[in-house]
């Protein structure tokens, strides 16, 4: 419990900084929107590029491990999106935001530190196996779902190939074979921009929360939070334990990865497309606050 608390508190603290700065008039809404745009268009693509280009990929490709995680992710995403549409009357981008919120985990800020602290160096390989593909896959799917509504195939392709996240993925994959010959100053610059993504995004979310509060109401954020913190890890555990071949030592890592609260990228997506911002900020804040308890519970259940 203490380990989870020590990881989550600084994250929630940065959200509080943005919230207090907006309420105190230190920064305005335009500054928060600009900060979000910087993260989405520059810092986050640099983070993806750096991860794909220089990350250490294992020799084996554990398809059962990936299948357990991403099949569960897809089921939760689909169910939550349908719930938002049919039970809560949300449409368009908001349904994507709802589904994305229940599936996208806050891995860099919460998942990786907590999992490595709980399971030690033995968890490094299974953790990276998910970190390397988690953000590119989820952001690509979310972008495709948003951009694909009512647009022609040519228009979708044009928007995707010019999208900052897709560009980051493409450049990272292209540079990987020659990453060693890229000058070190270029990597340092990329790394500095990547390091700015998380804190800047959290502060920007605090600014948005000061504006929207819980305008989205409580029922839908509570439903999404339950799906994220309870249903998602439960499905991963069931699939990894009884359906797909997964090394037993890797199952707790996948479960804890899924048990993380909604990631900040949910808010960035909503802010970028100016739809579902209240829902995203409410869900990220609520799931992060409750994750202190739920992640401690999951850790007690799956720890060897």
């Amino acid at each position: 419990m203490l380990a989870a608390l020590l990881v989550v508190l600084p994250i929630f603290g940065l959200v509080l900084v943005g919230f207090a700065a907006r309420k105190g008039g230190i920064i305005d809404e335009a500054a928060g929107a600009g900060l979000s745009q910087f993260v989405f268009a520059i810092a986050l693509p640099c983070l993806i590029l750096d991860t794909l280009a220089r990350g250490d990929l294992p020799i084996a490709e554990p398809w059962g491990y990936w299948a357990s995680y991403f099949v569960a992710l897809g089921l939760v995403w689909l169910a939550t999106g349908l719930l938002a549409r049919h039970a809560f009357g949300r449409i368009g981008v908001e349904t994507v935001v709802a589904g994305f919120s229940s599936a996208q985990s806050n891995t860099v800020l919460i998942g990786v530190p907590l999992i490595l602290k709980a399971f030690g160096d033995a968890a490094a390989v299974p953790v990276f196996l998910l970190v390397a593909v988690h953000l590119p896959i989820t952001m690509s799917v979310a972008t495709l779902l948003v951009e694909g509504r009512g647009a022609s195939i040519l228009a979708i392709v044009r928007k995707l190939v010019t999208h900052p996240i897709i560009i980051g993925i493409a450049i990272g994959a292209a540079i990987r074979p020659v990453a060693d010959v890229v000058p070190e100053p270029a990597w340092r610059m990329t790394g500095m921009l990547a390091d700015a993504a998380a804190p800047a995004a959290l502060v920007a979310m605090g600014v948005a929360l000061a504006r929207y509060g819980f305008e989205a109401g409580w029922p839908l954020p509570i439903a999404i939070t339950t799906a994220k913190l309870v249903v998602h890890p439960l499905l991963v555990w069931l699939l990894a334990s009884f359906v797909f071949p997964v090394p037993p030592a890797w199952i707790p890592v996948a479960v804890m990865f899924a048990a993380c609260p909604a990631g900040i990228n949910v808010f960035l997506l909503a802010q970028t497309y100016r739809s579902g911002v209240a829902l995203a900020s409410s869900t990220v804040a609520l799931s992060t606050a409750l994750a202190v308890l739920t992640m401690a519970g999951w850790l007690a259940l799956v720890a060897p």
Side-chain angles (χ1 to χ4, degrees):
M1 176 69 78
L2 181 60
L5 188 63
L6 291 176
V7 171
V8 172
L9 277 180
I11 296 163
F12 212 68
L14 287 177
V15 177
L16 184 60
V17 167
F19 183 89
R22 177 66 192 100
K23 286 294 187 182
I26 298 174
I27 60 176
D28 57 18
E29 291 177 13
L35 196 57
S36 296
Q37 187 176 8
F38 159 73
V39 174
F40 195 81
I42 298 177
L44 189 57
C46 284
L47 176 61
I48 295 173
L49 187 158
D50 189 72
T51 300
L52 289 180
R54 298 202 293 172
D56 295 325
L57 292 176
I59 297 175
E61 296 178 337
W63 297 108
Y65 178 66
W66 279 330
S68 299
Y69 188 86
F70 285 103
V71 168
L73 182 152
L75 291 173
V76 171
W77 189 324
L78 177 62
T80 309
L82 292 174
L83 179 71
R85 175 183 293 275
H86 296 292
F88 293 93
R90 303 304 175 96
I91 60 173
V93 176
E94 286 198 326
T95 62
V96 179
V97 169
F100 193 29
S101 300
S102 67
Q104 167 74 22
S105 291
N106 192 333
T107 58
V108 175
L109 296 178
I110 295 179
V112 173
L114 186 59
I115 290 170
L116 292 179
K117 186 174 183 64
F119 303 121
D121 293 340
V125 169
V127 162
F128 182 76
L129 280 170
L130 286 175
V131 170
V133 298
H134 177 262
L135 183 59
I137 288 176
T138 55
M139 286 300 295
S140 297
V141 171
T143 300
L144 183 60
L145 289 173
V146 172
E147 296 287 1
R149 294 175 178 273
S152 67
I153 294 179
L154 182 60
I156 294 172
V157 171
R158 185 183 299 114
K159 288 181 178 180
L160 286 177
V161 298
T162 58
H163 194 283
I165 299 299
I166 305 302
I167 291 173
I169 293 170
I171 295 177
I175 289 179
R176 184 172 179 81
V178 295
D180 291 341
V181 302
V182 175
E184 185 58 30
W187 285 127
R188 284 202 298 269
M189 183 180 69
T190 303
M192 291 170 69
L193 289 169
D195 291 342
L202 289 167
V203 172
M205 194 188 81
V207 175
L209 196 59
R211 174 184 177 183
Y212 294 102
F214 278 88
E215 283 184 12
W218 289 97
L220 183 52
I222 288 174
I224 296 172
T225 296
T226 302
K228 184 70 204 74
L229 301 181
V230 179
V231 180
H232 190 188
L234 177 60
L235 286 176
V236 169
W237 178 76
L238 290 172
L239 291 171
S241 299
F242 303 108
V243 179
F244 297 105
V246 179
W250 290 13
I251 295 175
V253 174
V255 171
M256 294 309 299
F257 206 91
C260 293
I264 191 65
N265 301 305
V266 173
F267 164 75
L268 293 175
L269 182 81
Q271 184 84 304
T272 298
Y273 292 100
R274 292 178 171 82
S275 180
V277 179
L279 177 61
S281 59
S282 298
T283 301
V284 173
L286 182 62
S287 63
T288 302
L290 295 180
V292 178
L293 299 175
T294 57
M295 291 190 76
W298 279 111
L299 187 59
L301 287 173
V302 302

